[in-house]
């Protein structure tokens, strides 16, 4: 309460304080808070206070800051403490952007904990998730039919209508993406929807766009922040409140991918036809011009031919559903005429008047997206990348800008509001801080300061060992079964060594499925239970099962980061294959073309960021013991790869071996074996 009283006095006088005095006052506040940590039942961690001071300095001086905060320093408290002080003195909200729903919810809990310990009786905060996480009663009502021959879908719709389900997380045991997509918010009608008063999505959007005096903390995912930046750049009303004191981006190593995803336009044949249908319906209401129908039919027919060619490309090139392939040159498609017709329809929409202006705006925006797509496919637009893939079983064409760094430079790092980028994995090797942060700096168009790295306080030297397998052959897709069989036998031996309690991280779902099938067929030959990650965003259920059984969990995607399993339930992490990006992926192929040494400047740094995230799942507390095993002989000494030393230098493991007997001795000496 002493700290809070002092803050209230500071808040009243801060407008009169010059910058130096404000900085001195905030720094004094930071020290007061940390001095009271023991009395608040909290333990200060190495690097945490320095991080808080770095953020305070950046705010006072109107600068941006990059801060690598190692696992275990208490990163969220490290930025929440100065944020609470800054919010109090500025009377403006703090925006915190994360890369996952789980992290957003954890930060919200941490904010409640530290806020109450510091004496804040009310911290007005909101978690903003993407619309796909919320249930839509309007869609559910359209879907629900009591005599529906598909009872599961009808039951889901009824539960949404009855207010049993407000968001995806309310469904125990999870739900598949395909099922959930039937009832999730999509093309929200906002004020026009008669379900708005009971809609969590509508309420959330109102709170994150509230006046500064009405909200203190806005916790959103990075996707939502990026969409807000895009809207403001276009000159339209943003999603998030205009005036904030500070923007903190946690897990900032994901920001480039999130920006690309947000700025990617996706097109399916069904979606394009729906846009054309909506366009013609709107225009025909005010004009019965017969040329509209001929234009509509022509564009639709050409679009069908385009997707027929792309289906053939996918059948020929895609090895698995998640693959993104280059689109071959289109043959016999009259793009110039298609583009002229689309522009004519778009022009007609732009002068259309109606009471439902939002509906017109949405269709107009979709039509402009179609114009961009045709320009890219016709090779008349050189500023975009394009690829084809299968998403939810539908053939999808995607386009996105080649360079996203300029977008961030002008919309995020423009000096109007201080931005803090933080993560446990931001740096590579290098002598200077600028060199260590250089990969993210170049990818994001970052402008600002580089803060000293805050290393993890955990004792990796005595508590962990890294094992590199030199027995597994190098992976080649054409001979992948040779690799998978050898890696499988090595994995069994390692899982037996720690008696289960192992998280296996795959970089390809196809590899994970293959190993899972092998384990099912060999059931009874090993003593531990096998679990595999569930479809969907929440993995709480499978993690709970894994902890109870102390078995082996096969995973990919979301498990590489954000998963926190402390204690002896997790004693080993196996990296099945080094997580290099796919060279033929159009985004990485483009990044390679603008680099002098694409392998060392693009592919190795990207692999290292993901590898550091994955290996960070092992040691989660001061008392944790464990083994990191890498089943990729490219990292072995005999392979003589020029990135081996960079990997060993970047990872925190000091004990490294390729000898299984040495690993076995370590496991026995440390009591890792039960």
């Amino acid at each position: 309460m002493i700290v809070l009283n002092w803050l209230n006095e500071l808040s009243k006088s801060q407008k009169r304080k010059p910058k130096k005095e404000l900085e001195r006052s905030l720094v004094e506040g930071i020290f007061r808070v940390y001095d009271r940590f023991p009395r608040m039942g909290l333990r200060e961690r190495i690097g945490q206070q320095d991080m808080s001071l770095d953020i305070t300095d950046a705010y006072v001086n109107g600068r941006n800051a990059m801060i690598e905060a190692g696992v275990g320093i208490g990163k969220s408290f490290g930025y929440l403490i100065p944020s609470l002080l800054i919010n109090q003195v500025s009377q403006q909200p703090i925006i915190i952007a994360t890369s996952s729903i789980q992290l957003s919810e954890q930060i919200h809990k941490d904010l409640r904990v530290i806020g109450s310990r510091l004496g804040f009786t009310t911290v007005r905060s909101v978690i903003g998730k993407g619309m796909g996480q919320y249930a839509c009663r309007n869609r559910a009502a359209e879907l629900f039919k009591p005599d529906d021959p598909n009872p599961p879908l009808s039951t889901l719709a009824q539960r949404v209508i009855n207010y049993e389900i407000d968001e995806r997380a309310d469904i125990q045991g999870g739900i598949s993406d395909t099922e959930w997509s039937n009832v999730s918010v999509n093309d929200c009608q906002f004020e026009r929807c008669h379900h708005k008063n009971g809609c969590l999505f509508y309420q959330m959007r109102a709170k994150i766009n509230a006046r500064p005096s009405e909200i203190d903390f806005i916790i959103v995912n990075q996707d939502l922040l990026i969409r807000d930046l895009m809207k403001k750049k276009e000159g339209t009303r943003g999603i998030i409140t205009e005036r904030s004191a500070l923007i903190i981006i946690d897990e900032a190593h994901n920001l480039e991918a999130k920006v690309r995803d947000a700025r990617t336009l996706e097109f399916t044949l069904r979606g394009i036809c729906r846009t054309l249908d909506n366009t013609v319906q709107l225009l025909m209401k005010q004009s019965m011009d017969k040329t509209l129908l001929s234009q509509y039919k022509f564009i639709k027919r050409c679009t069908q031919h385009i997707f027929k060619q792309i289906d053939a490309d996918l059948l020929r090139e895609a090895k698995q559903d998640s693959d993104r392939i280059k689109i071959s040159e289109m043959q016999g498609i009259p793009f110039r005429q298609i583009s002229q017709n689309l522009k004519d329809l778009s022009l007609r929409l732009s002068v259309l008047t109606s009471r439902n202006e939002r509906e017109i705006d949405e269709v107009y925006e979709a039509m402009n997206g179609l114009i961009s797509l045709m320009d890219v496919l016709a090779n008349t637009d050189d500023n975009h990348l394009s690829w084809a893939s299968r998403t939810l079983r539908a053939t999808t064409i995607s386009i996105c800008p080649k360079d996203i760094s300029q977008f961030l430079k002008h919309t995020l790092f423009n000096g109007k509001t201080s931005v803090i980028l933080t993560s446990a994995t931001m740096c590579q090797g290098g002598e200077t801080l600028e060199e260590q942060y250089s990969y993210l700096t170049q990818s994001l168009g970052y402008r600002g300061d580089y803060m000293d790295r805050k290393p993890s306080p955990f004792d990796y030297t005595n508590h962990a060992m890294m094992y590199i397998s030199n027995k597994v052959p190098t992976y080649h897709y054409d001979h992948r079964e040779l690799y998978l069989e050898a890696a499988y036998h090595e994995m069994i031996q390692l899982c037996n060594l720690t008696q289960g309690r192992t998280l296996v991280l795959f970089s390809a779902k196809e590899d994970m499925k293959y190993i899972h099938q092998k384990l099912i067929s060999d059931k009874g030959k090993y003593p531990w239970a096998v679990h595999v990650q569930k479809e969907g965003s929440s993995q709480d259920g499978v993690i709970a099962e894994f902890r109870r059984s102390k078995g082996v969990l096969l995973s990919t995607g979301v498990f590489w980061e954000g998963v926190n399993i402390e204690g002896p339930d997790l004693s080993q992490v196996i990296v099945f294959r080094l997580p290099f990006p796919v060279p033929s992926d159009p985004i990485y192929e483009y990044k390679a073309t603008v680099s002098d040494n694409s392998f060392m400047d693009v592919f190795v740094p990207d692999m290292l960021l993901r590898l550091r995230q994955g290996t960070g799942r092992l040691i989660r507390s001061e008392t944790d013991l464990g083994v990191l095993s890498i089943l990729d002989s490219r990292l072995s000494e005999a392979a003589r790869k020029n990135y081996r030393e960079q990997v060993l230098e970047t990872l925190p493991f000091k004990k490294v071996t390729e000898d299984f007997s040495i690993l076995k001795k370590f496991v026995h000496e440390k009591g890792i074996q039960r």
Side-chain angles (χ1 to χ4, degrees):
M1 191 58 72
I2 294 171
V3 174
L4 189 56
N5 290 338
W6 172 83
L7 278 172
N8 288 332
E9 290 302 315
L10 178 59
S11 176
K12 292 173 187 175
S13 62
Q14 71 96 17
K15 290 181 180 177
R16 302 191 300 270
K17 288 181 180 289
K19 186 168 73 173
K20 280 292 179 187
E21 195 172 340
L22 175 62
E23 180 178 24
R24 197 180 311 117
S25 299
L26 282 170
V27 168
E28 182 186 344
I30 297 290
F31 283 127
R32 285 188 185 214
V33 169
Y34 281 102
D35 285 346
R36 292 180 59 81
F37 256 42
R39 281 174 282 176
M40 292 190 291
L42 298 171
R43 182 168 53 82
E44 183 186 349
R45 301 187 182 187
I46 297 170
Q48 191 181 66
Q49 183 170 297
D50 288 342
M51 182 180 184
S52 295
L53 292 170
D54 285 345
I55 292 170
T56 300
D57 181 72
Y59 165 73
V60 171
N61 292 291
R63 302 277 293 170
N64 303 319
M66 267 191 181
I67 310 172
E68 178 173 288
V71 177
I73 75 157
K75 171 162 54 81
S76 60
F77 277 20
Y79 60 69
L80 286 175
I81 288 168
S83 295
L84 282 161
L85 273 59
I86 290 166
N87 168 251
Q88 185 74 13
V89 301
S90 68
Q91 299 296 298
Q92 290 180 313
I94 308 296
I95 297 172
I96 300 174
T98 71
S99 62
S100 69
I101 294 168
Q102 291 86 352
L103 183 56
S104 294
E105 290 172 344
Q106 184 58 52
I107 290 167
H108 200 244
K109 291 176 186 174
D110 290 345
L111 178 61
R112 290 277 178 267
V113 170
I114 193 63
S116 64
R117 299 284 177 91
L118 292 179
F120 290 86
T121 52
T122 55
V123 177
R124 298 164 302 174
S125 58
V126 59
I127 299 178
K129 304 174 187 176
M131 65 170 61
Q133 294 300 320
Y134 296 90
C136 177
R137 292 192 175 84
N138 195 46
R139 295 188 69 199
E142 292 174 358
L143 189 68
F144 177 63
K145 296 177 180 64
D147 55 348
D148 197 325
N150 186 357
L153 201 54
S154 193
T155 302
L156 174 64
Q158 187 173 24
R159 292 182 66 198
V160 171
I161 294 166
N162 293 343
Y163 292 85
E164 294 175 39
I165 298 171
D166 285 308
E167 51 185 300
R168 187 171 183 166
D170 293 335
I171 302 174
Q172 290 188 349
I175 185 172
S176 71
D177 292 342
T178 306
E179 284 181 284
W180 180 248
S181 65
N182 290 292
V183 295
S184 61
V185 176
N186 182 21
D187 296 330
C188 181
Q189 295 180 21
F190 293 95
E191 293 80 9
R192 292 182 285 113
C193 181
H194 57 275
H195 295 283
K196 65 182 181 182
N197 292 333
C199 176
L200 284 194
F201 173 71
Y202 183 82
Q203 292 167 16
M204 176 275 292
R205 288 291 289 265
K207 285 182 180 177
I208 66 173
N209 210 342
R211 287 177 294 187
S213 59
E214 296 172 348
I215 195 79
D216 299 317
F217 279 80
I218 300 169
I219 304 169
V220 296
N221 56 34
Q222 292 177 13
D223 309 75
L224 207 55
L225 174 66
I226 295 157
R227 284 201 295 276
D228 174 69
L229 296 175
M230 289 166 62
K231 281 185 169 292
K232 288 170 181 172
K233 181 177 183 290
E234 292 162 2
T236 58
R237 189 185 179 198
I239 302 169
I240 306 173
T241 187
E242 288 282 346
R243 292 169 54 211
S244 60
L246 188 68
I247 299 172
I248 296 170
I249 301 179
D250 202 344
E251 303 299 318
H253 62 277
N254 284 321
L255 187 58
E256 181 192 0
K258 295 289 186 181
V259 173
R260 287 199 185 279
D261 287 346
R263 302 202 71 203
T264 295
L265 299 179
E266 294 185 340
F267 304 88
T268 62
L269 180 57
R270 186 178 177 183
I272 291 173
C273 290
R274 186 169 62 245
T275 297
L276 293 172
D277 291 345
N278 292 340
T279 300
V280 170
Q281 285 173 16
L282 284 170
L283 294 175
M284 291 289 281
K285 285 177 183 177
Q286 294 196 7
S287 169
M288 296 304 291
D289 187 346
K290 291 181 180 179
T291 60
L292 287 171
L293 290 176
S294 61
Q295 287 177 319
Y296 162 78
K297 290 176 181 177
F298 170 74
I299 298 168
K300 214 170 193 179
R301 192 165 56 249
C302 292
T303 303
Q304 288 167 345
H305 285 302
I306 289 170
F307 274 86
K308 189 175 180 180
Q309 288 194 36
I310 286 173
D311 280 333
D313 286 347
L314 284 165
L315 192 63
R316 186 175 58 254
E317 301 291 339
K319 296 182 175 71
Q320 53 191 11
D321 285 348
S322 58
D323 282 356
R324 301 195 291 201
I325 67 156
K326 286 181 70 175
I327 298 170
S328 60
E329 190 172 343
M330 291 284 154
Q331 301 295 326
I333 307 294
F335 283 110
R336 181 177 293 180
Q337 192 175 347
I338 297 170
S339 184
Q340 285 176 348
N341 285 340
L342 286 171
K343 286 174 182 175
D344 178 56
L345 293 175
S346 178
L347 181 61
R348 293 185 188 215
L349 281 172
S350 68
V351 296
L352 199 63
T353 56
S354 170
R355 286 179 298 174
N356 297 329
E357 286 189 14
R358 187 189 289 272
E359 184 181 8
I360 295 172
D361 289 345
E362 287 172 356
V363 176
Y364 178 72
E365 188 177 341
M367 284 295 290
N368 286 339
L370 274 181
I371 294 168
S372 297
L373 171 66
M374 296 304 168
D375 288 344
V376 171
L377 293 180
N379 295 320
T380 57
D381 179 345
D382 194 39
N383 297 316
H384 285 77
L385 300 170
S386 64
W387 63 86
S389 61
R390 289 197 183 278
T391 308
L392 295 177
R393 299 176 189 167
T395 298
T396 304
I397 309 172
S398 304
I399 63 171
C400 81
K402 285 181 176 178
D403 185 11
I404 60 102
S405 63
Q406 291 301 312
F407 167 77
L408 287 175
K409 186 181 289 184
H410 296 299
T411 61
L412 186 63
F413 307 123
N414 54 19
K416 292 181 180 177
T417 303
S418 292
V419 179
I420 309 299
L421 301 180
T422 186
S423 167
T425 57
M426 301 180 79
C427 294
Q428 311 283 327
E431 294 182 5
T432 67
L433 285 174
E434 191 171 354
E435 289 173 351
Q436 291 166 16
Y437 286 105
S438 63
Y439 180 65
L440 278 185
T441 297
Q442 292 165 13
S443 299
L444 300 176
Y446 172 75
R447 294 188 294 191
D449 297 334
Y450 307 104
M451 300 304 184
D452 288 334
R453 300 167 69 176
K454 320 302 183 211
S456 171
F458 298 155
D459 186 1
Y460 282 87
T461 303
N462 294 305
H463 287 192
M465 178 173 277
M466 178 175 165
Y467 169 71
I468 301 170
S469 174
N470 54 21
K471 305 178 185 70
V472 181
T474 303
Y475 182 95
H476 294 291
Y477 187 83
D478 294 337
H479 307 288
R480 62 192 287 266
E481 285 198 18
L482 288 175
Y483 163 81
L484 289 169
E485 288 293 325
Y488 172 75
H489 292 295
E490 187 84 332
M491 186 195 86
I492 295 289
Q493 187 181 27
L494 288 163
C495 291
N496 285 337
L497 180 63
T498 56
Q499 297 169 307
R501 299 177 295 154
T502 298
L503 175 65
V504 188
L505 296 173
F506 294 86
S507 14
K509 284 186 179 179
E510 295 301 310
D511 292 354
M512 182 177 75
K513 290 176 183 176
Y514 183 96
I515 296 300
H516 188 221
Q517 287 301 317
K518 285 279 295 179
L519 287 168
I520 290 171
S521 63
D522 287 348
K523 195 173 182 181
K525 295 182 180 179
Y526 46 83
W528 23 265
V530 175
H531 308 276
V532 66
Q533 76 175 67
K534 305 293 184 187
E535 187 179 344
S537 57
S538 177
Q539 301 294 332
D540 293 346
V542 74
I543 290 173
E545 291 171 10
F546 165 72
R547 298 194 78 149
R548 278 194 297 270
S549 74
K550 297 176 173 50
V552 172
L553 174 54
L554 310 181
S555 61
T556 183
V558 294
F559 277 86
W560 281 83
E561 54 185 272
V563 174
N564 186 27
I565 307 175
E566 289 187 22
D569 291 346
L570 178 62
S571 295
Q572 180 172 209
V573 169
I574 295 177
V575 174
F576 210 74
R577 191 150 51 95
L578 291 175
F580 280 105
V582 179
S584 60
D585 182 288
I587 289 173
Y588 287 98
E589 191 173 58
Y590 164 71
K591 291 177 80 170
T593 62
V594 295
S595 169
D596 294 332
N597 184 348
S598 61
F599 187 69
M600 295 305 294
D601 294 344
V602 176
F603 291 96
V604 169
D606 196 275
M607 178 273 290
L608 273 172
L609 284 178
R610 194 158 185 228
L611 181 63
R612 291 186 68 197
Q613 280 293 322
T615 58
R617 301 311 100 212
L618 181 63
I619 303 296
R620 305 298 299 177
S621 74
E622 289 86 347
T623 57
D624 278 1
L625 301 166
V627 172
L628 168 69
S629 300
I630 298 180
L631 307 187
D632 195 325
S633 57
R634 288 176 294 181
L635 206 56
S636 66
E637 199 167 3
R640 298 183 181 279
K641 296 293 183 182
N642 56 356
Y643 53 83
R644 172 184 157 90
E645 288 306 315
Q646 193 173 344
V647 172
L648 297 183
E649 178 191 347
T650 305
L651 296 180
F653 300 87
K654 304 306 174 189
K655 289 180 179 173
V656 181
T657 185
E658 297 179 21
D659 188 332
F660 187 81
S661 64
I662 293 175
L663 179 69
K664 191 174 181 180
K665 183 181 178 184
F666 173 81
V667 168
H668 282 292
E669 285 178 350
K670 296 297 178 182
I672 294 173
Q673 245 184 359
R674 287 176 293 170

